[in-house]
Amino acid sequence: MTLERFDIARILLVDDEPAFRLLAERFLSQQGHQVVSVADLTAARAQLGSQSFDLMLLDLSLPPAFDPQATLAVLPEFAAQPVIIMTGHAERELALKAISLGAWDFLAKPVDPDMLAVVVKRAISKHQLARELSLLKRHHQPTDVLSQLVGVSRQMDNIRTLVQRIAPTEVRVLVTGPSGTGKEVVSRVLHQLSLRSKGPFVSVHCGAIPAELLESELFGYVKGAFTGADKDRQGLLSLANGGTLFLDEIGEMPLPMQVKMLRVLQEGTFYPVGGREQKRIDVRLISATNAVLPELVRLGKFREDLYYRIKGITLETPALSERRDDIPLLIQHFLQQQSHKTQLSPEAMLWFLQQPFPGNVRELKNTLESVLAIAQQGVVTLADIQLLHLESQQLQRVQPQSYAPGASMDEQVRQLEISLLTQALLESQGNRSQAARVLGLSRQGLLKKIERYGLQQMGVEG
C-alpha cells in the first residue's frame, strides 16, 4: 500500500502491548513518519514534556489501572496535538466520550493497517494545516491590527506608517486632535503592535474622574487611608504594570496631580495614598488630548516639564471634514462591525458625504446607528434620514472640493474621482453599468474604483 507523501510527522505511540508497538512503529515508519513508542502515561508525559509531536496514538487500557475511563479522564492534557484512541473495547459510549473530550478519531483493535494509514494521514494533515494557519495569522497580525485605522486618505496613510514604525519602541506618544477622531483607537493599535501587547492596556480619562478622587484611582490606597478605605486597593498605575497606560484628555488633569504624575514618569515609582511602601511600575505611556497643550502651558494651566515628558512623538488625528474621502470606508467598517447587511441608497450615501460632522467619526457612527435602527428592507434611504430630522442641508450636486494650498495632486485626484463616481451612481439610481457608461469606463474599471474608495454601499448590481 502506498500513500501520497506529505511532511514527515512525529508520532507518539502509547500502548502497553510490546508486539503491537513493534508492528505499528514499523508500519508507520515505512510511511515516512518518525515514531516514538512508550508503554504508559507516565512515559508519555515525559516525552511530551521534552519534545513536540504531530499526532498521538493512545490505547485506552493502560497500566496500572487498565481502566479506559481513567485514560479518558486525562485526555484533555494532550490537546496540543490530535489524539487517535485505540482500544479493544469497541463500545459506542466510549467512542462518543472520547470524541467529546477532544479525540480526533477512535479505532477498534485489531487495527486494520489501511484504516490506520488513512486516519493518521487525515489527522496529521489537519494538524499541520492548523499550525501553518496559526503561523500565517501571526505573520499578518500587524496588517490586521492596522486595518482598524480605517481610511484611504493621505492623513490616514501617514498615521498608519508612523504607528507601524513607533509601536515596537518604548517612545512616549502624544495623540492630539479634535474630539471623536479616534485618538483612543490609535492608542490601542499602538499597544497591540507593541512588545507589550500581551500586557494590559489601561485607559484613564483624566477629565471624567473628580480631582479629589484621581490620586486614589491612579495610585491606589492602603486600608485606613481615609474614611471608607476598609481594605487595600490597587490603583490604575499598578494595573497597567508591564503594559500600556493611556491617559486620555491629559490636558484636563489638575495641576497638583500633574506634579505627582511627573514624579512617576521621572522615577518609575509612587506611593499609594496613605502608604509608606514605595511601589515600582514599568509602563509605556500614551497620552491624548483635544486641547492645544503649548497654549495651556503658556496660560499656566499645564506644566511645561510634564508636557516635554509626555510628548515624545506627536500623532495628530485629523477632523473628518479634512478626510471626507474616508467616509464611505468608515460606513462600510461600522456596518461590518455590527454584521449589518443593510446598504445605503445613493442619495443616503451622498447625504453622509455632504455632512460637516463636527463630532467627527464618533458623530458619523452614532448617526449611522440611528438611521440603521429604522431602515427597512435592508436599505437606508433619504426618507429614513428625513424621518429622524437629521437633514441639516439640502442635497446638492457634488462638486470637487477645494483644497488648502499644499494639497498633493494625488489627494485632489482622489477626491475628484470620489465626487464623480458618487454623482454618476446617484444620477443612474445606483445602476453600475449605466454609471460606467456615463463616466466612459468599463464596468470592471468602475467596480475596481468603487472597491478602492469603499463605495460598495452605493448602487445596485446592474
Side-chain angles (χ1 to χ4, degrees):
M1 178 181 60
T2 60
L3 291 174
E4 293 177 10
R5 294 303 302 266
F6 48 94
D7 289 347
I8 293 175
R10 294 181 58 79
I11 299 174
L12 178 61
L13 170 63
V14 188
D15 196 292
D16 65 309
E17 299 178 16
F20 177 80
R21 289 204 308 274
L22 179 63
L23 290 173
E25 185 174 349
R26 182 179 299 167
F27 173 74
L28 292 169
S29 296
Q30 290 173 351
Q31 308 304 313
H33 306 305
Q34 298 176 359
V35 185
V36 175
S37 60
V38 295
D40 55 48
L41 290 175
T42 301
R45 290 189 180 97
Q47 289 293 335
L48 290 168
S50 62
Q51 56 186 311
S52 62
F53 291 89
D54 297 295
L55 177 66
M56 186 176 186
L57 294 170
L58 178 64
D59 182 48
L60 279 186
S61 185
L62 293 170
F66 294 97
D67 178 7
Q69 296 295 338
T71 306
L72 285 175
V74 299
L75 193 57
E77 290 182 33
F78 309 133
Q81 58 279 309
V83 178
I84 296 175
I85 296 294
M86 303 180 300
T87 181
H89 303 273
E91 299 176 6
R92 182 173 180 272
E93 290 75 14
L94 280 177
L96 290 175
K97 186 173 182 181
I99 298 300
S100 69
L101 291 172
W104 168 257
D105 213 332
F106 189 100
L107 293 176
K109 286 185 174 180
V111 176
D112 176 77
D114 289 338
M115 180 60 71
L116 175 63
V118 170
V119 173
V120 164
K121 179 185 177 181
R122 288 179 59 242
I124 290 172
S125 297
K126 175 256 183 187
H127 179 65
Q128 292 176 341
L129 181 62
R131 185 172 58 193
E132 290 172 5
L133 182 60
S134 177
L135 289 172
L136 187 62
K137 285 181 177 179
R138 285 203 296 270
H139 178 71
H140 286 290
Q141 184 182 11
T143 301
D144 296 338
V145 173
L146 282 171
S147 68
Q148 297 174 60
L149 304 177
V150 179
V152 294
S153 62
R154 174 179 50 83
Q155 296 96 322
M156 291 309 297
D157 283 342
N158 291 342
I159 287 176
R160 279 191 293 267
T161 300
L162 270 174
V163 164
Q164 195 166 19
R165 290 186 184 182
I166 65 179
T169 73
E170 288 292 295
V171 66
R172 291 169 182 163
V173 180
L174 176 62
V175 187
T176 64
S179 294
T181 52
K183 295 187 289 294
E184 183 165 354
V185 174
V186 171
S187 302
R188 287 186 180 276
V189 170
L190 278 166
H191 171 72
Q192 291 166 7
L193 293 178
S194 75
L195 302 179
R196 298 174 177 264
S197 60
K198 293 185 179 178
F201 177 90
V202 176
S203 176
V204 183
H205 194 300
C206 299
I209 303 174
E212 61 274 14
L213 298 180
L214 186 56
E215 182 177 3
S216 60
E217 285 293 314
L218 281 171
F219 296 164
Y221 53 79
V222 299
K223 181 179 179 181
F226 49 81
T227 303
D230 54 353
K231 60 182 179 180
D232 292 356
R233 181 183 175 186
Q234 272 193 322
L236 296 172
L237 288 178
S238 294
L239 294 176
N241 193 36
T244 300
L245 177 66
F246 175 56
L247 296 180
D248 196 9
E249 297 306 339
I250 194 171
E252 299 181 23
M253 180 179 285
L255 280 169
M257 193 67 237
Q258 291 180 30
V259 177
K260 295 174 180 177
M261 182 55 64
L262 180 63
R263 185 177 300 119
V264 173
L265 297 180
Q266 288 173 335
E267 302 172 6
T269 60
F270 67 94
Y271 289 95
V273 175
R276 295 186 176 181
E277 181 183 351
Q278 192 177 57
K279 303 287 185 181
R280 180 168 293 277
I281 58 166
D282 172 29
V283 299
R284 188 207 189 153
L285 180 69
I286 300 176
S287 308
T289 182
N290 63 4
V292 181
L293 290 187
E295 179 63 15
L296 293 183
V297 169
R298 189 184 68 80
L299 296 173
K301 296 181 179 180
F302 199 84
R303 292 184 62 93
E304 185 176 19
D305 46 5
L306 179 59
Y307 170 62
Y308 288 115
R309 282 281 176 181
I310 66 172
K311 72 185 298 280
I313 289 179
T314 301
L315 286 175
E316 183 174 0
T317 54
L320 189 56
S321 60
E322 297 175 11
R323 56 181 189 111
R324 289 184 179 277
D325 39 344
D326 291 338
I327 289 177
L329 279 176
L330 286 164
I331 289 174
Q332 186 178 7
H333 173 69
F334 294 138
L335 291 175
Q336 289 173 347
Q337 272 189 335
Q338 301 176 33
S339 300
H340 253 289
K341 295 184 178 178
T342 305
Q343 293 190 348
L344 273 66
S345 71
E347 294 86 354
M349 178 63 82
L350 184 58
W351 182 88
F352 272 92
L353 286 167
Q354 290 180 334
Q355 299 314 297
F357 289 121
N360 297 296
V361 179
R362 185 183 296 123
E363 183 184 358
L364 169 66
K365 182 180 181 183
N366 292 340
T367 303
L368 180 64
E369 289 174 350
S370 297
V371 295
L372 287 174
I374 66 167
Q376 295 181 323
Q377 299 178 339
V379 179
V380 172
T381 66
L382 188 59
D384 298 324
I385 295 169
Q386 292 168 340
L387 185 62
L388 291 176
H389 305 289
L390 293 174
E391 71 283 8
S392 60
Q393 54 183 318
Q394 296 296 317
L395 284 175
Q396 303 168 359
R397 181 176 180 86
V398 179
Q399 298 295 337
Q401 281 187 264
S402 59
Y403 289 90
S408 70
M409 179 65 72
D410 287 344
E411 188 79 10
Q412 297 184 52
V413 169
R414 175 185 291 149
Q415 185 58 52
L416 178 59
E417 285 197 338
I418 289 175
S419 298
L420 293 174
L421 287 167
T422 303
Q423 189 65 43
L425 287 167
L426 180 62
E427 292 180 350
S428 65
Q429 298 182 334
N431 187 297
R432 294 175 178 179
S433 297
Q434 185 177 338
R437 285 194 294 272
V438 169
L439 293 169
L441 297 172
S442 67
R443 191 175 187 279
Q444 191 62 32
L446 175 69
L447 293 177
K448 287 182 178 179
K449 289 183 180 293
I450 286 174
E451 182 179 1
R452 180 190 309 164
Y453 296 122
L455 298 172
Q456 290 93 330
Q457 296 300 320
M458 293 190 67
V460 296
E461 296 296 334

